[in-house]
Amino acid sequence: MPTFPRAAGILLHPTSLPGRFGIGDLGLAAYRLIDFLSNSYQQLWQVLPLGPTGYGNSPYMCYSAMAGNPLLISPEQLQENGLLSQEDFANLPEFESDRVEYDRAIEIKIPLLRKACENFRNNASELQQQEFAGFCRAKGYWLDDYALFMALKDALEDKSWYDWEPEIARRQPEAMEKWRQQLDGEIFYQKFIQFEFFQQWSKLKRYANMHGIQIIGDIPIYVAHDSADVWANPEIFCLDEETGAAALMAGVPPDYFSATGQLWGNPVYNWEALQQQHFKWWVQRFEAMLDYVDIIRIDHFRGFESYWAVKEGETTAINGTWIEAPGVELFEAIAQQLGKLPVLAEDLGIITPEVEALRDRFEFPGMKILQFAYGSDAANPYLPFNYPRNCVVYTGTHDNDTSVGWFNTASDYEKQRLLLYMGCISPDGIHWDLIRLAFSTTANQAIIPLQDILGLGSEARMNVPSQAEGNWAWRYQPDVLTHELSDRLKLYTELYGRAPQVTHGG
């Protein structure tokens, strides 16, 4: 049996769930979504990175590669566990139901989380205290640094760690001890909200798995410069020793989409130092991730074969160089410790034979996007007849427009090629035509953004990559996951052989 049997699923970040606290969370709506997926014969739920976000709210720029986002904690579940009361929700404001209101959600949720922490500190039963202590011990390898990092950010007016006083920026032992004592209460709070996040997430994941649904998580290759990871492990990143600035920055070179390339600003890895440590940090990162997802999608997979590095001080990605990365050694080291890796490789963009060889050596499925298929000739790798079985097909990803939005703005050439390819557009709408096309391909897995199943236009787009603000905010309305929609999805899932296989006991 293949590692990745033929299946279908959806792409939806938990922030997009409905709910009354201004942002989607891990409460009742998440369980209703799993029921909808299960009833529709879906077996996969793909989410974006789940870490704590900073300015711009991008899940790809988190304060930690291993922590969870406190804004995803459900206050209603805290109430069920006796940590909040109904009175705490008495004066909730009205939120927009179709957008995440990040600033207002923070204003409402953080005081609730602090109150729950206070109640836990004063009233937790012995069993709860033991569970909390066990969690802190088990996750200590990242949790201790993360909790202190977030407490320091709070105390130092949200400054980036490389702008802190040199003794704490460089983690001198006396400074670390002084701040640990001084911020004891805040460190406890940071650990408590991670405990609650993991309790709620683990419960939701168990429910999903019981219903035959696997969760696909997302690992961005790079971590944010201003993160607990870089502050706590400076030796594994290319940093300026004096200032803590990124001596070599990540990005991609100029291409068809951008004359100046993309300069992301994250520090690239010091792969030599990582190799000397037997890739310990990466092994821990995968281990932490596999605690709460079943399958891992690696963003920017090509960076594990070679990566574009731009020197400090440059303002565009033009003057960079390609540097080889030890991808083979890395994935062998991880597999040696964790077994065969359930990994999907995001291999979009300009991919070399060397990157393909690295992907295929470990049998990682690559990604195919239908929206990319119709802009050129028959050699286009995104046209369905060119797919290998071992890949995942999407109508589009979180970085694309919705299928309806894409079709409305596609060039005449693309529309004509698509119509010739498909024969016609059905009365069901272009979104269902593309969903059926994705399901009908030989790709082992087909994943559809929920926006496409709902047939929504560009207003429901999750992210516009070149746009700094206003992204990551779309939410769906509570009543849209209808029986009719579920029945249609189930019908096509069954028709194209992607329904769960029922096994009969002997």
Side-chain angles (χ1 to χ4, degrees):
M1 184 173 161
T3 314
F4 295 111
R6 193 167 171 82
I10 64 134
L11 167 61
L12 180 89
H13 198 48
T15 55
S16 297
L17 291 160
R20 57 181 180 144
F21 296 93
I23 185 170
D25 62 33
L26 308 180
L28 188 60
Y31 290 83
R32 285 194 177 143
L33 174 73
I34 288 166
D35 293 341
F36 172 83
L37 296 179
S38 175
N39 293 336
S40 312
Y41 288 173
Q42 304 305 290
Q43 297 175 75
L44 301 163
W45 175 18
Q46 183 175 325
V47 299
L48 306 181
L50 293 164
T53 55
Y55 173 75
N57 310 306
S58 169
Y60 291 89
M61 290 294 267
C62 293
Y63 289 131
S64 166
M66 302 185 205
N69 187 347
L71 292 179
L72 293 176
I73 294 171
S74 159
E76 285 160 330
Q77 288 210 1
L78 294 176
Q79 185 205 343
E80 275 174 40
N81 294 338
L83 294 172
L84 291 174
S85 68
Q86 195 53 50
E87 292 81 73
D88 293 323
F89 307 151
N91 299 313
L92 284 183
E94 280 293 312
F95 287 103
E96 286 185 52
S97 58
D98 59 349
R99 309 288 295 163
V100 178
E101 294 185 76
Y102 283 97
D103 292 343
R104 292 181 72 212
I106 288 167
E107 271 173 40
I108 293 297
K109 286 191 94 163
I110 299 305
L112 289 173
L113 293 177
R114 288 192 177 277
K115 188 161 194 180
C117 176
E118 200 52 40
N119 288 337
F120 181 87
R121 201 162 194 168
N122 295 333
N123 307 316
S125 68
E126 203 168 322
L127 178 63
Q128 288 172 316
Q129 287 173 26
Q130 282 171 0
E131 282 181 342
F132 177 61
F135 171 81
C136 293
R137 272 195 306 278
K139 311 288 185 192
Y141 64 95
W142 62 262
L143 182 62
D144 292 345
D145 283 317
Y146 170 75
L148 177 56
F149 174 84
M150 292 306 284
L152 280 160
K153 275 193 85 64
D154 194 54
L156 301 173
E157 295 168 353
D158 215 28
K159 279 185 191 163
S160 300
W161 69 263
Y162 37 85
D163 294 328
W164 296 347
E165 291 297 323
E167 57 270 19
I168 190 62
R170 294 183 186 181
R171 299 170 56 85
Q172 288 173 4
E174 307 79 41
M176 295 281 281
E177 193 46 46
K178 181 191 99 173
W179 281 106
R180 268 196 206 103
Q181 287 179 14
Q182 209 169 313
L183 299 175
D184 177 64
E186 186 63 19
I187 290 169
F188 182 91
Y189 163 72
Q190 292 294 342
K191 289 184 175 181
F192 165 78
I193 54 178
Q194 286 308 308
F195 173 64
E196 285 300 331
F197 173 86
F198 279 92
Q199 295 276 88
Q200 291 193 9
W201 180 263
S202 303
K203 187 177 150 199
L204 182 66
K205 180 181 179 290
R206 277 196 302 276
Y207 188 79
N209 292 165
M210 271 166 48
H211 286 74
I213 291 157
Q214 291 192 299
I215 294 178
I216 303 174
D218 199 324
I219 277 191
I221 179 173
Y222 293 115
V223 296
H225 186 189
D226 186 24
S227 65
D229 308 284
V230 180
W231 175 66
N233 307 280
E235 70 288 351
I236 64 170
F237 297 92
C238 292
L239 301 177
D240 182 312
E241 282 185 25
E242 286 301 303
T243 63
L248 287 176
M249 296 179 282
V252 286
D255 59 14
Y256 168 79
F257 298 103
S258 167
T260 57
Q262 293 175 41
L263 186 62
W264 299 330
N266 318 55
V268 301
Y269 294 102
N270 178 343
W271 283 109
E272 259 176 57
L274 276 160
Q275 258 176 303
Q276 283 162 11
Q277 299 174 8
H278 307 293
F279 304 105
K280 183 181 166 190
W281 182 83
W282 270 105
V283 173
Q284 288 178 335
R285 191 178 180 189
F286 267 77
E287 203 171 10
M289 190 79 176
L290 289 169
D291 269 354
Y292 57 100
V293 302
D294 301 291
I295 299 166
I296 295 172
R297 186 195 90 120
I298 299 181
D299 196 46
H300 195 60
F301 178 79
R302 72 109 49 247
F304 290 104
E305 190 281 321
S306 54
Y307 55 95
W308 190 247
V310 182
K311 283 188 175 159
E312 182 185 350
E314 293 284 343
T315 53
T316 72
I318 294 173
N319 299 317
T321 45
W322 285 109
I323 302 176
E324 234 172 278
V328 171
E329 294 86 339
L330 170 71
F331 290 117
E332 278 177 352
I334 298 171
Q336 212 172 2
Q337 297 203 42
L338 304 178
K340 188 168 167 58
L341 295 172
V343 161
L344 314 175
E346 185 270 291
D347 55 352
L348 307 175
I350 310 297
I351 298 301
T352 64
E354 290 82 3
V355 179
E356 288 175 355
L358 176 64
R359 180 197 66 203
D360 295 344
R361 179 183 181 129
F362 294 95
E363 299 178 344
F364 297 156
M367 287 174 60
K368 303 294 178 189
I369 312 294
L370 286 178
Q371 288 185 22
F372 296 164
Y374 304 100
S376 58
D377 58 17
N380 186 315
Y382 299 106
L383 280 167
F385 59 76
N386 290 322
Y387 294 177
R389 278 188 187 279
N390 191 30
C391 70
V392 190
V393 61
Y394 297 78
T395 46
T397 73
H398 61 276
D399 283 334
N400 295 101
D401 203 341
T402 64
S403 287
V404 170
W406 167 76
F407 186 72
N408 288 341
T409 54
S411 66
D412 290 344
Y413 178 80
E414 281 178 298
K415 281 182 181 165
Q416 191 184 5
R417 297 277 297 178
L418 175 65
L419 287 170
L420 281 169
Y421 194 91
M422 296 178 71
C424 67
I425 300 261
S426 74
D428 295 336
I430 188 68
H431 53 294
W432 279 110
D433 293 340
L434 287 169
I435 291 167
R436 283 200 302 270
L437 181 57
F439 280 13
S440 73
T441 66
T442 55
N444 281 340
Q445 294 170 305
I447 294 176
I448 313 295
L450 188 66
Q451 292 95 315
D452 284 355
I453 290 165
L454 298 173
L456 300 174
S458 302
E459 76 287 347
R461 185 171 180 165
M462 194 61 171
N463 180 43
V464 182
S466 54
Q467 189 178 291
E469 288 182 40
N471 291 318
W472 319 110
W474 174 74
R475 296 173 81 191
Y476 71 86
Q477 304 277 12
D479 51 358
V480 296
L481 302 182
T482 61
H483 291 302
E484 184 196 0
L485 200 61
S486 176
D487 288 345
R488 177 178 281 192
L489 194 53
K490 182 177 176 175
L491 176 72
Y492 295 140
T493 306
E494 215 167 17
L495 179 65
Y496 295 112
R498 295 186 182 277
Q501 297 301 303
V502 179
T503 53
H504 299 285

